[in-house]
Amino acid sequence: MERSKRQVHNRLLSTLSARDRALIDPHVETLVLSKGDVLFEPGEDVANVYFPGAGTIASFVLGLRDGTVTEAAMIGQEGAVGGIISHGQKPAFARAVVQIGGGVIRVPAAALEEARQRSVTLRDHFARYADCLLAQVLQSVACNAVHEYDARLARWLLATQDRVGNSRLDVTQQFVSEMLGVQRSYTSKVIHQLEGAGAIEHGRGFIVVKDRKQLTRHACECYGYLRRHYEHLLPGVYPTDERS
């Protein structure tokens, strides 16, 4: 984690009014994060809020007693990590970890809370995002319980591509397996099936989305539900691919 002078574009912040953004700007710090950086651990006070830039992805992950780790929510340039649903410094329930490194905007949680108290529209904006984040978690629970793994994997790849903004996703099959809570051998089998259908191409340490429409046909309806929920509550915030 290091400071940076590079401009970082976060869509949740960019859709704020000039007045609301002015309440936050004095407290903004721009950082570059690396894959594996932990933003906070379960039980820790959430002292900062992180707004990922384009291409940067963080996840809320939950670890179980047997060592299994699974992803509860994925956050990219459409959102924020920490201090959005709660008010002030509250202990975290899940680990927040960087999955794809890049630029982020960091704002102290106390400063963001003060800004929210000064603006009704700012409170409403972040309340809408909190609703979208909760919707993602609830949709993930339903998806994991009901849908087949090939549909879940296709959904996850589409959501990752939206946030990365590139057809190449620098993720390993092992990483995908851990995030979706399945064995690597099963992930490898499904990836080969999607590749055979012409939807993706894979190599060592990366997956390329070759035919987004084909991949969308394999995905479950959860992907579309969540996109539409964002578009309804926060127009212009969720990044989408024009080819979809």
Side-chain angles (χ1 to χ4, degrees), residues 23 39 44 54 59-60 75 79 98 122 125 161 163 175-176 180 189-190 196 215 242:
L23 295 174
L39 305 181
E44 290 183 355
S59 293
F60 289 123
I75 296 135
V98 177
L122 191 61
H125 189 74
Q161 186 190 19
R163 290 162 173 84
F175 170 72
V176 175
L180 294 175
K189 177 182 176 180
V190 174
L215 189 60
E242 293 180 355

Side-chain angles (χ1 to χ4, degrees), residues 57-242:
I57 294 180
S59 293
F60 289 123
V61 297
L62 298 172
L64 303 180
R65 187 178 299 173
D66 64 0
T68 302
V69 175
T70 187
E71 183 179 68
M74 177 196 303
I75 296 135
Q77 59 180 313
E78 84 294 344
V81 181
I84 293 297
I85 295 178
S86 63
H87 299 281
Q89 295 184 356
K90 299 293 191 297
F93 180 75
R95 171 186 293 172
V97 61
V98 177
Q99 307 293 14
I100 298 179
V104 300
I105 294 169
R106 183 170 70 180
V107 179
L112 186 62
E113 178 59 21
E114 181 182 351
R116 289 196 294 193
Q117 294 304 315
R118 295 172 60 186
S119 170
V120 172
T121 54
L122 191 61
R123 287 201 300 276
D124 179 69
H125 189 74
F126 286 123
R128 287 170 180 267
Y129 172 65
D131 184 277
C132 290
L133 183 59
L134 179 59
Q136 182 182 169
V137 174
L138 294 176
Q139 195 73 54
S140 178
V141 171
C143 185
N144 292 342
V146 175
H147 292 140
E148 297 294 333
Y149 183 56
D150 59 340
R152 291 168 51 207
L153 176 57
R155 168 189 61 81
W156 189 89
L157 291 173
L158 289 167
T160 302
Q161 186 190 19
D162 286 342
R163 290 162 173 84
V164 171
N166 195 302
S167 60
R168 179 185 168 110
L169 313 178
D170 291 320
V171 295
T172 65
Q173 293 185 34
Q174 181 64 36
F175 170 72
V176 175
S177 301
E178 290 174 356
M179 292 301 97
L180 294 175
V182 301
Q183 294 294 322
R184 185 187 183 282
S185 58
Y186 195 13
T187 294
S188 180
K189 177 182 176 180
V190 174
I191 283 178
H192 278 94
Q193 290 173 348
L194 292 174
E195 190 170 40
I200 66 171
E201 178 182 305
H202 86 283
R204 187 175 181 84
F206 69 89
I207 296 172
V208 176
V209 178
K210 294 196 68 178
D211 188 335
R212 188 176 167 90
K213 289 183 178 179
Q214 181 68 243
L215 189 60
T216 301
R217 282 193 284 270
H218 282 83
C220 57
E221 66 267 30
C222 297
Y223 173 70
Y225 286 161
L226 190 61
R227 272 183 54 165
R228 288 191 291 273
H229 192 64
Y230 265 91
E231 290 163 4
H232 177 67
L233 289 184
L234 290 167
V237 166
Y238 191 87
T240 56
D241 192 302
E242 293 180 355

